[in-house]
């Protein structure tokens, strides 16, 4: 049976709907992410690493690691339980369910990230294929309790059938992120008119200047929206797969 031919672009709007479900909690996460992001330049200064692109990316990622690996998946588990209340992720027990699955999901995400990085760095296309086919595996483990192998098999099989509409929605999300980056670049060029566009501001400037704190806050809000939109897209993918199986 062929999958239904409809767009999943509605997941972008549903991401905003999910964000509005707990506005105070989401805002607190964004503020926490803003502070955690500032750990990046602070670590650069402590390590005397200099303002290279590699050091900035490395220390910046280390700063937001608690958010990416724990707090955002926890939010996704809560929103999924409240919205669907499935037997695998019930509303009344979502916290206990999340705590029981979190470590395995973390290891799966790290393994998938490593496979993507290797494939992307060496050949580019294999990395994209790996992420496209298997990217839903960790979320399936987190929300439906599948073991790693069945979760990645489900992701591969489902994406093989439904990838055109899913990729369309993901590309739309990436377009929003790209437009955001263009807008941020334009704004920063006016805040720092004498700065070379190819030059990375010094860590001390990124740590103290209010513009970078605001940048981190808006980037955190974008990240939270993307996480909610991907959750909505995952739920749409599950529904479409269930219709095909039926």
């Amino acid at each position: 049976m062929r999958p239904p031919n409809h767009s999943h672009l509605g997941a972008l709007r549903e991401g905003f709907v999910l964000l509005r479900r707990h506005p105070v909690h989401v805002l607190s996460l964004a503020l926490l992410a803003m502070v955690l992001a500032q750990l990046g330049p602070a670590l650069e200064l402590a390590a005397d690493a200099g303002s290279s692109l590699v050091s900035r990316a490395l220390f910046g990622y280390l700063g937001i690691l608690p958010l990416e690996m724990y707090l955002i998946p926890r939010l996704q588990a809560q929103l999924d339980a409240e919205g669907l209340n499935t037997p695998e992720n019930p509303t009344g027990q979502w916290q206990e369910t999340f705590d029981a699955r979190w470590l395995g999901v973390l290891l799966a995400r790290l393994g998938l990230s490593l496979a993507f990085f290797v494939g992307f760095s060496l050949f580019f296309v294999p990395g994209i294929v790996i992420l496209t086919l298997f990217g839903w595996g960790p979320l399936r483990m987190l929300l439906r309790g599948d073991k790693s192998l069945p979760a990645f098999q489900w992701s591969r099989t489902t994406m093989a059938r439904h990838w055109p509409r899913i990729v369309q929605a993901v590309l739309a999300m990436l377009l929003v992120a790209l437009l955001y980056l263009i807008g941020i670049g334009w704004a920063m060029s006016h805040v720092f008119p004498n700065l070379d566009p190819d030059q990375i501001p010094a860590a001390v400037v990124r740590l103290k200047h209010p513009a970078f704190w605001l940048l981190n806050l808006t980037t955190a809000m974008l990240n939270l929206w993307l996480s909610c939109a991907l959750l909505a897209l995952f739920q749409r993918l599950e529904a479409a797969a269930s219709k095909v199986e039926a």
Side-chain angles (χ1 to χ4, degrees):
M1 181 177 180
R2 297 183 61 185
N5 187 25
H6 60 83
S7 171
H8 290 308
L9 293 176
L12 280 73
R13 177 188 57 81
E14 292 164 4
F16 288 108
V17 174
L18 291 173
L19 277 182
R20 292 200 301 269
R21 190 176 293 173
H22 298 286
V24 175
H25 181 49
V26 168
L27 180 59
S28 65
L29 285 178
L31 292 172
L32 176 61
M34 177 184 68
V35 175
L36 290 174
Q38 290 302 98
L39 290 176
L43 291 172
E44 286 182 50
L45 290 173
D48 195 20
S51 295
S52 69
L53 183 60
V54 174
S55 65
R56 179 180 180 181
L58 175 61
F59 289 116
Y61 183 72
L62 289 176
I64 63 172
L65 200 59
L67 186 80
E68 290 290 333
M69 293 300 180
Y70 184 82
L71 294 176
I72 287 182
R74 189 176 187 274
L75 176 65
Q76 289 176 318
Q78 178 183 2
L79 293 173
D80 177 78
E82 292 172 348
L84 298 183
N85 191 26
T86 62
E88 299 85 3
N89 189 29
T91 303
Q93 298 177 340
W94 72 265
Q95 296 185 58
E96 295 83 354
T97 303
F98 172 81
D99 291 338
R101 297 171 180 171
W102 171 74
L103 183 58
V105 174
L106 172 62
L107 297 175
R109 285 189 63 182
L110 291 175
L112 180 64
S113 299
L114 179 61
F116 167 74
F117 177 77
V118 172
F120 188 85
S121 300
L122 297 179
F123 306 106
F124 181 75
V125 173
I128 300 297
V129 173
I130 288 172
L131 192 61
T132 300
L133 290 179
F134 300 103
W136 298 113
L139 204 54
R140 180 78 178 183
M141 294 173 62
L142 177 67
L143 303 181
R144 304 297 171 253
D146 290 2
K147 299 299 182 182
S148 57
L149 185 58
F152 285 115
Q153 288 177 336
W154 178 90
S155 180
R156 175 183 57 80
T157 303
T158 307
M159 282 299 294
R161 294 175 177 174
H162 301 273
W163 70 267
R165 304 300 177 184
I166 298 298
V167 170
Q168 179 192 44
V170 172
L171 289 177
M173 296 177 197
L174 293 177
L175 178 60
V176 173
L178 177 61
L179 293 175
Y180 167 79
L181 292 176
I182 293 174
I184 286 297
W186 176 84
M188 284 300 188
S189 68
H190 286 73
V191 176
F192 302 99
N194 298 323
L195 182 66
D196 185 349
D198 297 325
Q199 180 183 357
I200 301 174
V204 66
V205 175
R206 288 183 277 120
L207 184 62
K208 295 182 177 181
H209 200 288
F212 288 97
W213 287 79
L214 181 60
L215 169 64
N216 291 333
L217 179 62
T218 56
T219 302
M221 290 301 301
L222 174 68
N223 191 16
L224 289 167
W225 168 73
L226 286 172
S227 300
C228 290
L230 286 173
L231 171 62
L233 185 59
F234 171 78
Q235 293 173 343
R236 282 170 165 263
L237 178 60
E238 280 191 322
S242 298
K243 291 180 181 178
V244 171
E245 293 172 358

